[in-house]
Amino acid sequence: MQATPQRTAKIDHLRQHTFDLVVIGGGITGAGVALDAASRGLDVALIERDDFASGTSSKSTKLIHGGLRYLKNLEIGLVREVGQERAVVHDLAPHLVRPEKMLLPLVEGGSLGKFSTSMALWVYDFLADVEGDDKRVMLSKEETSAHEPLLRTDILTGGGFYAEYRTDDARLTIENIKTAEKEGATALNYVEAKDFTYDAQGKISGVICHDHFSGGELTIKTRHVISSTGPWVDDLRKKDKSMTNRGVFLSKGVHIVVSRERLPLQHAVYFDVPDGRMLFAIPRLRCTYIGTTDTPYSGDPKAIPINREDVDYLLKATNEMFPTVQLTVDDVESSWAGVRPLIFEEGKSAGEMSRKDEIFESASGLLSIAGGKLTGYRKMAERVVDRLGKQLRTAGEELRKTHTKDLVLTGGPFEDFAAVKAYEKHIENYLLAASLTPDRAAYLVSNYGKQSPAIIDAATQRQEGTDVARLAAAEAAWCIEHELALYPIDWIERRSGRLYFDMPSIEPVLEEVLDVFAAAYQYSAAEREREKKRVLEAMAWVSVFEVNE
């Protein structure tokens, strides 16, 4: 395998340049930090040990939501902040962050009654400054059943109807990174921070790294470092010898995916489970996904098992709320498991621990940020870069104020969601004119927005293969050139989302996609076979569930 000229140039730049800031961790928080810092005029490098968004940031519930359940814990400040951030992030990328009406069925013996739900949703709207048609509406039993006919009616007493937003967390991360690069940042995946160098005063002066693609070593010289490595944030604090007794606690969350035909919901539903938890069932293009669990996890965050017990729990809860569907494990097309890096609180269960973020600052200058929610990534980034501003101020420098609230992400701009829907129709016609499959229009726009025509144009230049394969090959090639996709699994899992949301679409295009990567990175026959095996193993990992002994 051989690096592309683009990757080689980036490695050389990382070796030779001295940066104002190195951001370690290419999840949504690190992406937000890189964008915030670069847009304020800092010279920024972002490095990620694996692929961008390969950890928690591709394995959330994929909602930009206000955290209704955090009202129960009286986390008013958190609910207000993330509630208001929903609209901000939607405005930055309405093709990626899409309005999603949420139905909250009320049931006998459930965790919320009609009055408490009405008050909770009113407070939720008030804190988030919700206006117009997005304000909550309380429903009768009959109205709730009409909104969602699959709901169990014998225990149904009514419902609440309110506004949230759905996203693809990995795509949101990648578009933030690309926007950060437009602002001057340098971002590279598969580069691992192994240790730090220090100056005579004991302050961090560099990051010792390993390039997992080439096997080479490099040291990135920098004045400051922010660690946003999620589940691994304590590992770097230990390397820096700045670990305290205040650390990260990992909570495992599992989601399963079934076809839309098997669970044809009209809306996203947030429903009670007899054990006191609440689950989401969320329709998305051709599938519906269900989650999540919330249990302590102490294993390897890179390889989180999805056990049959997790799957059975979600299926049982779903079948109890939607009794006519009778889902079985054979209906589960895919799944994912991630860990939430929560700030540990003595005496609290995983579900009770706060989702607030926290910043740790060491004597070496290392800033580490952990906790938080996907929805609040932009404000988390702002806070930790503001903290960096205090370090700069002691050196006589002044940092500009953030303006990421107004920085439209790559793939846009769109005036509003109505413009997104109109653009989907335009792309459908564009596909038809190119003699390609028009049913991929919604998929392309939700992933790439106004970058879609470039992919379609490239597909028309390909002569061999089916229409579906030519489009997929062009998409993969575009992601290699513009999104640093290094391996086929990068595209299948995180750039396209097919591993989770469209498993049946992988096999018909796999050979063509492998050919694209083989040409770009000059695979040998053995390397091509190895990458194919990695894809097949990933497909098995998310669709075959072992029983715990």
Side-chain angles (χ1 to χ4, degrees), residues 458-472:
T460 63
Q461 303 303 311
R462 293 182 172 270
Q463 303 301 318
E464 298 181 359
T466 64
D467 293 349
V468 170
R470 287 191 294 125
L471 188 58

Side-chain angles (χ1 to χ4, degrees), residues 376-393:
Y377 81 87
R378 194 189 66 84
K379 293 298 290 185
M380 289 171 63
E382 178 183 333
R383 276 192 288 275
V384 75
V385 177
D386 281 346
R387 180 72 72 89
L388 173 63
K390 292 182 179 179
Q391 293 184 0
L392 293 171
R393 207 166 294 125

Side-chain angles (χ1 to χ4, degrees), residues 196-217:
F196 302 107
T197 61
Y198 299 85
D199 64 17
Q201 287 72 46
K203 299 295 185 181
I204 289 179
S205 59
V207 183
I208 301 170
C209 302
H210 177 74
D211 177 6
H212 282 282
F213 185 79
S214 70
E217 307 296 319

Side-chain angles (χ1 to χ4, degrees), residues 27-95:
I28 187 60
T29 306
V33 171
L35 174 55
D36 187 283
S39 66
R40 298 201 209 188
L42 295 180
D43 195 351
V44 178
L46 168 70
I47 56 172
E48 162 59 44
R49 177 181 64 183
D50 298 302
D51 188 22
F52 302 126
S54 56
T56 302
S57 296
S58 58
K59 299 176 179 69
S60 72
T61 304
K62 305 179 190 298
L63 290 175
I64 299 295
H65 68 125
L68 176 62
R69 73 184 184 88
Y70 306 133
L71 281 178
K72 283 186 176 182
N73 299 338
L74 299 179
E75 295 187 79
I76 303 301
L78 177 63
V79 174
R80 180 173 183 82
E81 178 176 290
V82 296
Q84 293 175 344
E85 276 296 291
R86 295 179 305 173
V88 173
V89 181
H90 168 68
D91 288 344
L92 297 178
H95 65 292

Side-chain angles (χ1 to χ4, degrees), residues 21-25 29-30 33 196 225-230 232-237 358 360 366-370 384:
L21 171 67
V22 170
V23 181
I24 305 173
T29 306
V33 171
F196 302 107
V225 174
I226 293 176
S227 169
S228 56
T229 51
W232 297 275
V233 73
D234 288 347
D235 293 347
L236 285 178
R237 293 172 70 201
E358 189 163 334
F360 305 96
L366 174 67
L367 290 169
S368 303
I369 184 164
V384 75

